Amino acid sequence: MIVQYQWLIIGAFIIIAAQAVLIGCLLFQRARRRRVDTERKKHDETLTQERAFLRQVIEIDPNLIFAKDRQGRFTLANRALADIYGTTVEGLIGKSDADFNSNVEEVEAFRRADIDVMNTLQERVIPEERITDATGKIHYLQTVKRPIVGADGTARQILGTATDITARRLAEQSIRASEDFNRTVLASLQDHIAILDANGTIVAVNDAWTQFALRNGVPPTMAGSGVGVSYLEVCRHAAASGDESAGRAQDGISRVLEGDSSSFVMEYRCDAPSESRWFLLRVLPFRRAEGGVVVSHSNITQRKEAELELGRQRNELAHFARVTMLGELSGSLAHELNQPLAAILSNAQAALRFLTDDDYDRNEVREILRDIVNADKRAGEVIRGLRLLLKKGEMRQEPLDLNEVVRDVLGLMRSDILNARVDLTAELAPNLPMLTGDRVQLEQVLLNLLMNGCDAMADAPASGRKLLVTTRHIATDSVVVSVTDRGPGIPPEDLERVFEPFYSTKAQGLGLGLMVSRKIIGAHGGRLYAENNAGGGASFCFTLPANPEAIA
Amino acid sequence: MGQVRRRIAVVDDEESVRKALQRLLRSAGMDVETYSSGAEFLDAMPNGVPDCVVLDLHMPQVSGFEVQAGLAKFSTRVPVVVITGHDTPAARARAIAGGADAYLLKPIDEDVLLDAVAAATSKQSA
């Protein structure tokens, strides 16, 4: 019985103990579950937070970010992409490109790339692709697509990011266009253009430069570009072999390269076996930090030939006019020559007479001989002046003191002015700047104007024959000479006509003087014009450019 | 001998010519006074009338023609030998009309000048 109870008690105890263990286990399990739940909840919260954060990152990214499944449906998208398609992120999910993009070609291209990436499991970079936005505007994208590989090793989605490169592409296009433009401009220029660096080495040339070098037998290796060749050296070499203009070019280029001059220009003749051409060399600084110059050679043969022809014609005409004027001047010239000849003859004959007396005065004879020598020299001067006046030649460019030219002419015309019984006044401005020009030609103009002035007053009473010659400095770089008479003046409608050839009011004379004079003044860079004076009579004035630095 | 030396006036603005003519006339035994302008000569007239005046036409201010006109105002006639380096028919006519005894062109040969002066003065004395 006791044993039975014992077993009963033991059994009951075991049952109770087992139940307690069970309960304990249950309690423990519950507690553990509660803890796991809490942890999971916390984990889920963190995940949600991270997801929201990532979402924000994706949202603010200006690049287009998306994921698509095998059917082409968006499983992920950001606002940048939604903006392109004119919808919301939510509106994109579950839809495909075809739902928003009407351009079939673009949609197919996207699709092909997506499938390709999923099939090959290879990331793909598409350097440039088009996408048409909701407004129909085309954007250019640079896209990267990457497969999202699942546990089974296959890809059911792709992840893509695309950068909108439209603006960059436009900028590149415009740079390319402007480069093309500049290249085309340079290539279309007929001038031969080269750019030299600060050492005078050619760094770029245009087509015309290359072509010219080729045509002139420069080795193609050198001419092919000319780039890399020291142009200064080329000039030095040519100068050493006797090309004088190359020496001048070298000097000019060096001066601009070194900043000693702001530019250099020269005209030169280039004699080829077949023809001779004229070029204008221009050297200008190449405006960039590294320095250098732009050298251009322009073919000016046509202009130069026209100029030379004009010059020849002008010289012919001027010579003709001088010969004509000689006739008009003959009175003055005869007088100028006859004076010293008269002195020589009478002196010599007087000396011969003195010598017949045995005690002649040696001093007197010596003095006579000295006077003869002087008079002879004076006659020589007149002849020399005459030859100079009649000399047929090219227009000279020499520094001139205008007042001196006026005084010389007045000296030469002294006798004519006396003959014409004209009262001449000269008002010459002191400190006139120097001019550059042809003395004889300017003398010729003055002679012509003074003679015309005298002739215009031929019918006036002697007391009214007044001629005024003035020189004035009217601007820093300009002087004016005027010859004013008290004649009848010029009918207003003829103020210009007087410069036409063969316009003459005189009995003698061809009427070429004023035309030639105007040409001469024009060739000196000045202007000859006529005007009527308020108080009667006419004035002929001419301007001439002056050298402001040089004071006469 | 005993011949009265003739007094000749030379009027020319050109000094070299004036001096040369003075020497030549002096070498021929004449007394010579020179004047560099017509006015100077006319001013000196009251101080003594020359036997003959050798007169240049081309002179500033008072020309040879004006000297001729000025001489006409004096009671004594003075023979005039006009000399010029610039011969024109008009000048010749005017000089002759103005009473010139001779019209000579520069350069003047001694015989021509001396003959002209001699002729002019002898006409005077005649």
Side-chain angles (χ1 to χ4, degrees):
Chain A
M1 205 47 204
I2 291 169
V3 173
Q4 272 187 329
Y5 272 114
Q6 263 184 326
W7 284 110
L8 198 70
I9 288 164
I10 288 168
F13 186 76
I14 288 170
I15 288 167
I16 290 164
Q19 273 183 338
V21 167
L22 196 67
I23 288 165
C25 275
L26 279 170
L27 283 172
F28 175 75
Q29 226 168 3
R30 187 181 293 167
R32 211 186 70 163
R33 195 178 296 137
R34 198 175 291 147
R35 203 173 64 234
V36 167
D37 277 355
T38 315
E39 274 177 10
R40 180 174 295 157
K41 212 170 156 191
K42 220 163 107 190
H43 180 253
D44 282 355
E45 272 174 19
T46 314
L47 212 63
T48 310
Q49 273 175 7
E50 279 176 359
R51 206 172 261 171
F53 176 72
L54 280 175
R55 186 70 234 170
Q56 274 187 27
V57 171
I58 292 172
E59 281 305 293
I60 63 161
D61 196 322
N63 292 323
L64 282 53
I65 298 173
F66 54 89
K68 285 189 257 182
D69 63 15
R70 274 198 172 267
Q71 281 68 46
R73 291 178 301 220
F74 288 104
T75 56
L76 172 83
N78 69 344
R79 188 171 298 155
L81 178 60
D83 285 349
I84 290 256
Y85 277 156
T87 180
T88 58
V89 172
E90 293 72 27
L92 270 176
I93 303 300
K95 299 279 176 53
S96 65
D97 287 292
D99 295 319
F100 303 97
N101 191 338
S102 56
N103 189 313
V104 182
E105 269 176 49
E106 289 174 14
V107 171
E108 280 177 0
F110 297 154
R111 190 88 185 100
R112 271 197 305 276
D114 295 348
I115 300 290
D116 186 53
V117 168
M118 283 185 270
N119 289 348
T120 59
L121 302 179
Q122 293 285 318
E123 181 182 287
R124 244 185 95 172
V125 177
I126 301 149
E128 191 176 299
E129 61 178 353
R130 280 170 45 138
I131 184 167
T132 307
D133 72 11
T135 66
K137 198 179 137 203
I138 293 166
H139 295 251
Y140 288 88
L141 303 176
Q142 188 180 68
T143 308
V144 182
K145 286 178 175 174
R146 172 182 288 189
I148 302 175
V149 184
D152 59 357
T154 66
R156 291 197 182 83
Q157 289 192 65
I158 58 110
L159 176 67
T161 68
T163 309
D164 191 330
I165 56 167
T166 313
R168 193 175 81 195
R169 196 174 176 274
L170 277 174
E172 280 174 4
Q173 258 174 354
S174 87
I175 288 171
R176 235 188 325 261
S178 102
E179 277 174 355
D180 273 357
F181 180 80
N182 290 341
R183 221 191 327 272
T184 313
V185 166
L186 211 57
S188 341
L189 289 177
Q190 288 179 342
D191 293 353
H192 316 146
I193 298 170
I195 295 171
L196 313 188
D197 67 12
N199 303 315
T201 302
I202 301 176
V203 290
V205 297
N206 72 343
D207 290 355
W209 180 284
T210 310
Q211 292 304 320
F212 181 76
L214 279 172
R215 277 202 308 276
N216 286 274
V218 180
T221 44
M222 194 166 137
S225 59
V227 171
V229 173
S230 165
Y231 195 60
L232 280 181
E233 207 47 59
V234 171
C235 291
R236 202 169 292 140
H237 195 76
S241 58
D243 184 345
E244 174 266 343
S245 59
R248 280 193 292 147
Q250 186 206 329
D251 274 2
I253 294 169
S254 301
R255 278 206 306 279
V256 180
L257 274 175
E258 283 152 25
D260 294 340
S261 347
S262 60
S263 67
F264 173 73
V265 178
M266 78 172 213
E267 290 182 357
Y268 65 96
R269 212 169 78 174
C270 180
D271 290 318
S274 56
E275 55 179 335
S276 128
R277 283 163 298 181
W278 279 92
F279 286 93
L280 176 74
L281 168 69
R282 251 198 220 96
V283 184
L284 290 166
F286 191 40
R287 307 228 177 266
R288 52 171 195 171
E290 306 93 291
V293 292
V294 181
V295 174
S296 72
H297 298 265
S298 325
N299 191 331
I300 53 163
T301 311
Q302 255 183 341
R303 163 165 81 75
K304 201 72 193 172
E305 274 173 359
E307 267 177 25
L308 290 173
E309 179 53 32
L310 207 66
R312 270 193 291 275
Q313 281 177 8
R314 196 172 53 220
N315 288 333
E316 287 289 332
L317 203 61
H319 177 66
F320 179 64
R322 279 197 289 272
V323 174
T324 311
M325 203 179 295
L326 179 67
E328 293 168 23
L329 252 182
S330 59
S332 262
L333 284 169
H335 184 257
E336 289 301 311
L337 271 178
N338 283 336
Q339 290 290 70
L341 289 177
I344 291 168
L345 184 61
S346 298
N347 271 322
Q349 288 177 335
L352 285 171
R353 283 171 166 274
F354 287 135
L355 290 174
T356 55
D357 187 346
D358 285 340
D359 339 300
Y360 66 90
D361 182 345
R362 290 174 73 94
N363 284 335
E364 173 142 46
V365 173
R366 188 177 296 117
E367 205 181 306
I368 288 173
L369 289 174
R370 202 173 289 134
D371 283 354
I372 288 175
V373 170
N374 288 337
D376 193 287
K377 281 183 178 166
R378 189 181 142 196
E381 286 286 310
V382 174
I383 298 287
R384 206 167 50 83
L386 183 65
R387 283 172 59 130
L388 208 63
L389 200 66
L390 283 171
K391 202 174 154 197
K392 186 171 161 183
E394 288 182 9
M395 186 177 140
R396 292 198 209 182
Q397 292 289 334
E398 54 195 348
L400 296 175
D401 173 351
L402 189 61
N403 285 340
E404 199 181 292
V405 175
V406 173
R407 279 191 287 264
D408 281 1
V409 172
L410 293 180
L412 195 62
M413 286 203 66
R414 201 179 57 98
S415 153
D416 287 83
I417 290 168
L418 272 176
N419 270 350
R421 309 190 58 73
V422 166
D423 177 9
L424 182 118
T425 311
E427 289 174 6
L428 308 183
N431 303 325
L432 268 193
M434 291 294 277
L435 307 175
T436 306
D438 189 309
R439 169 184 288 269
V440 175
Q441 288 192 1
L442 293 179
E443 285 182 353
Q444 195 185 332
V445 171
L446 272 164
L447 268 170
N448 189 249
L449 298 184
L450 289 165
M451 278 183 176
N452 286 350
C454 291
D455 291 346
M457 298 185 289
D459 295 334
S463 60
R465 294 180 202 164
K466 292 187 192 307
L467 200 57
L468 171 69
V469 187
T470 67
T471 59
R472 272 177 299 143
H473 192 184
I474 50 168
T476 48
D477 56 353
S478 194
V479 293
V480 64
V481 180
S482 68
V483 176
T484 302
D485 65 52
R486 294 272 187 89
I490 301 164
E493 65 273 17
D494 284 353
L495 280 171
E496 266 306 302
R497 274 195 59 215
V498 295
F499 295 102
E500 288 174 9
F502 305 110
Y503 174 94
S504 181
T505 54
K506 299 185 230 167
Q508 325 112 294
L510 283 171
L512 287 173
L514 283 174
M515 180 202 65
V516 173
S517 296
R518 183 174 256 194
K519 279 192 188 302
I520 290 173
I521 296 301
H524 280 78
R527 205 165 68 84
L528 170 64
Y529 54 95
E531 55 194 25
N532 284 314
N533 310 319
S539 286
F540 283 83
C541 309
F542 62 87
T543 60
L544 287 171
N547 259 344
E549 313 88 76
I551 296 291
Chain B
M1 293 295 146
Q3 196 183 0
V4 181
R5 285 173 73 93
R6 279 165 296 180
R7 283 182 59 231
I8 311 294
V10 171
V11 186
D12 197 311
D13 62 317
E14 184 75 33
E15 194 198 355
S16 61
V17 176
R18 208 160 59 229
K19 273 169 73 182
L21 291 177
Q22 182 191 22
R23 286 167 180 146
L24 185 65
L25 294 169
R26 197 157 48 80
S27 73
M30 297 174 216
D31 285 335
V32 184
E33 283 148 17
T34 59
Y35 302 91
S36 64
S37 74
E40 195 189 322
F41 168 65
L42 288 175
D43 287 350
M45 267 292 284
N47 307 332
V49 179
D51 297 315
C52 176
V53 56
V54 175
L55 178 65
D56 182 34
L57 280 185
H58 292 271
M59 288 184 293
Q61 281 103 43
V62 182
S63 72
F65 299 121
E66 283 162 326
V67 172
Q68 278 187 289
L71 283 176
K73 291 178 190 153
F74 289 92
S75 53
T76 324
R77 200 190 94 85
V78 182
V80 174
V81 171
V82 162
I83 57 173
T84 180
H86 182 200
D87 177 29
T88 63
R92 180 186 292 256
R94 193 170 164 195
I96 302 294
D101 293 84
Y103 179 89
L104 308 181
L105 303 183
K106 293 179 188 174
I108 313 157
D109 192 69
E110 56 184 333
D111 295 339
V112 174
L113 179 68
L114 296 176
D115 287 353
V117 170
T121 49
S122 67
K123 213 188 283 177
Q124 175 71 0
S125 49

